[in-house]
């Protein structure tokens, strides 16, 4: 089970990095480039969501790699 947790930790880190890339390059930057006022509000929201989403996923993966989610037997 520990091997699965470590593999999924790498998957979560990769998902966090991909989420940051996708939110910035695919969603936010094209909306900023249009110059329309109705496109700037979603672009600003995407920019504020990038650190929250990506860092949450990356930290979850980091903790998974460090065995922080290890079950303790009582």
């Amino acid at each position: 089970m520990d091997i699965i947790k470590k593999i999924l930790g790498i998957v979560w880190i990769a998902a966090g990095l991909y989420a940051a890339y996708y939110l910035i390059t695919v969603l936010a930057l094209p909306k900023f480039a249009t110059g329309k006022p109705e496109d700037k509000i979603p672009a600003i929201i995407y920019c504020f969501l990038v650190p929250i989403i990506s860092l949450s996923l990356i930290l979850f993966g980091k903790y998974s790699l460090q065995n922080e989610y290890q079950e303790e037997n009582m």
Side-chain angles (χ1 to χ4, degrees):
M1 191 68 166
D2 287 336
I3 295 172
I4 295 172
K5 288 179 185 178
K6 288 188 184 271
I7 291 171
L8 288 176
I10 295 170
V11 170
W12 284 114
I13 291 172
L17 294 173
Y18 180 73
Y21 169 78
Y22 181 79
L23 283 171
I24 291 173
T25 59
V26 175
L27 295 178
L29 289 180
K31 290 208 179 273
F32 276 125
T34 63
K36 297 179 185 176
E38 61 266 10
D39 284 344
K40 287 189 179 185
I41 293 173
I44 291 170
I45 291 172
Y46 294 145
C47 289
F48 281 115
L49 288 179
V50 167
I52 295 169
I53 293 171
S54 63
L55 290 178
S56 299
L57 291 171
I58 290 170
L59 280 176
F60 187 72
K62 177 185 169 226
Y63 290 148
S64 180
L65 285 175
Q66 292 177 345
N67 287 331
E68 293 290 327
Y69 300 113
Q70 192 171 25
E71 296 177 17
E72 295 179 13
N73 296 330
M74 293 185 164

